[in-house]
């Protein structure tokens, strides 16, 4: 892996903790940061020592305040399309990453920051977090999947309201509408995210990956196609040692020792 300038990446037991570290620009995503995030996810795709990922932002103020406006301001249509393609590739990599990804939203999650959080599987927020898609204030629209993932998470009306007004909402409102899953006092946020990652790490990794895939893929197809996706994934797990071990451990009244095989 080449040296990372904008991220701090640390392995805590089986959890990879990625901290976006451009505090002076409220952790705004410049192209280099997007490329570094892509590199980190790509290089851990097959890393069996990692069972979950936590993404957060450096400092007390921001998770990510959006794509880097200074960098973006001079782009033409081709440049804008290319920028969007890079962010969309990253968010799709996160959504299809074989391990769960938890966003620990420690402050502003705006524009590309909200979109990054929405690509994650679970969103935990600090009571101080503020979220929104303010792109219309800049004469553009969300470009890292916001018009697509926000409506899938909170429904068409709320997505329209947030994207068309560009207004920010606080953590309590984000929780109420289903944009974040749990809210914690700021000082507890990272520990709660790590705790959740640790709980997931005790489960069968193949089952966790299959469940994530089924939920995500199922949302893009009709119910019966989604149920077929589930049936095939469910059946496939019966060919794994983890299924044998998980059910044997239950019957022997002991904790399962999953190997991810
Ligand atoms: N890009 C680049 N720099 C940013 C930034 C961004 N998205 N957000 C904040 N910064 C910089 C500011 O320019 C400022 O830098 P200087 O100290 O050098 O002037 C520094 O971070 C601190 O910001 P503020 O002084 O503005 O802090 P504040 O507390 O007064 O306001 C804020 C905080 C409300 C988050 C405000 O910074 C803000 O509105 N930021 C922009 C949010 C935004 O519009 N995000 C969407 C970007 S577009 C996008 O993301 C497109 C997409 O979908 C891919």
């Amino acid at each position: 892996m080449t040296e990372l300038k904008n991220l701090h990446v640390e392995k805590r037991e089986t959890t990879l903790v990625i901290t976006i570290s451009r505090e002076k620009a409220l952790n705004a995503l410049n192209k280099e940061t997007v490329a570094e995030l892509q590199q980190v996810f790509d290089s851990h795709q097959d890393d069996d020592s990692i069972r979950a990922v936590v993404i957060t932002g450096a400092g007390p103020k921001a998770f990510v305040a959006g794509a880097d406006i200074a960098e973006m301001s001079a782009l033409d249509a081709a440049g804008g399309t290319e920028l969007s393609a890079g962010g969309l590739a990253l968010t799709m990599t996160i959504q299809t990453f074989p391990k769960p990804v938890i966003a620990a939203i420690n402050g502003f999650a705006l524009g590309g920051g909200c979109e990054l959080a929405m690509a994650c599987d679970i969103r935990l927020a600090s009571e101080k977090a503020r979220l929104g898609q303010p792109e219309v204030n800049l004469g553009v629209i969300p470009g890292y999947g916001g018009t697509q993932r926000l409506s899938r998470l909170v429904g068409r009306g709320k997505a329209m309201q947030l994207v068309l007004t560009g207004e920010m909402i606080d953590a309590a409102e984000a929780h109420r509408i289903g944009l974040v899953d749990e809210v914690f006092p700021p000082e507890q946020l990272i520990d709660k995210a790590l705790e959740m990652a640790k709980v997931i790490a005790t489960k069968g990794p193949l089952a966790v990956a299959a469940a994530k895939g089924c939920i995500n893929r199922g949302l893009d197809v009709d119910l019966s196609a989604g149920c077929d996706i589930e049936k095939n994934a469910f059946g496939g797990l019966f060919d794994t040692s983890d299924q044998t071990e998980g059910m044997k451990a239950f019957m022997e009244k002991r904790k399962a020792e999953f190997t991810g095989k």
Side-chain angles (χ1 to χ4, degrees), residues 127-142:
E127 285 163 351
K128 289 194 176 156
R130 299 190 77 191
L131 296 91
Q133 295 290 158
E135 288 87 348
V136 287
N137 296 323
L138 302 167
V140 293
I141 62 168

Side-chain angles (χ1 to χ4, degrees), residues 58-134:
K61 205 169 159 183
F63 173 70
V64 167
D68 191 305
I69 299 169
E71 190 182 69
M72 212 170 21
S73 59
L75 295 179
D76 60 9
T81 307
E82 190 195 328
L83 186 87
S84 175
L88 288 170
L90 171 65
T91 53
M92 199 51 93
T93 297
I94 293 172
Q95 187 173 316
T96 56
F97 195 66
K99 300 133 210 305
V101 183
I102 300 170
I105 306 170
N106 53 308
F108 289 113
L110 301 173
C114 189
E115 293 169 298
L116 177 67
M118 287 194 288
C120 297
D121 303 310
I122 298 165
R123 281 156 294 285
L124 308 182
S126 139
E127 285 163 351
K128 289 194 176 156
R130 299 190 77 191
L131 296 91
Q133 295 290 158

Side-chain angles (χ1 to χ4, degrees), residues 102-105 122-126 180-182 184 189 192-193 196:
I102 300 170
I105 306 170
I122 298 165
R123 281 156 294 285
L124 308 182
S126 139
V180 303
D181 303 302
E182 280 200 64
F184 298 103
L189 178 66
K192 292 288 182 186
M196 190 174 282

Side-chain angles (χ1 to χ4, degrees), residues 122-202:
I122 298 165
R123 281 156 294 285
L124 308 182
S126 139
E127 285 163 351
K128 289 194 176 156
R130 299 190 77 191
L131 296 91
Q133 295 290 158
E135 288 87 348
V136 287
N137 296 323
L138 302 167
V140 293
I141 62 168
Y144 292 174
T147 61
Q148 304 306 304
R149 290 196 179 92
L150 187 58
S151 49
R152 282 165 170 78
L153 270 175
V154 305
R156 187 159 70 141
K158 267 289 160 203
M160 285 286 186
Q161 186 185 337
L162 287 171
V163 171
L164 301 187
T165 66
E167 276 168 13
M168 278 191 251
I169 54 173
D170 63 17
E173 174 66 358
H175 187 220
R176 194 186 69 78
I177 66 172
L179 180 52
V180 303
D181 303 302
E182 280 200 64
V183 179
F184 298 103
E187 65 282 3
Q188 289 180 17
L189 178 66
I190 270 290
D191 287 344
K192 292 288 182 186
L194 290 169
E195 231 170 71
M196 190 174 282
K198 217 167 161 179
V199 168
I200 296 170
T202 65

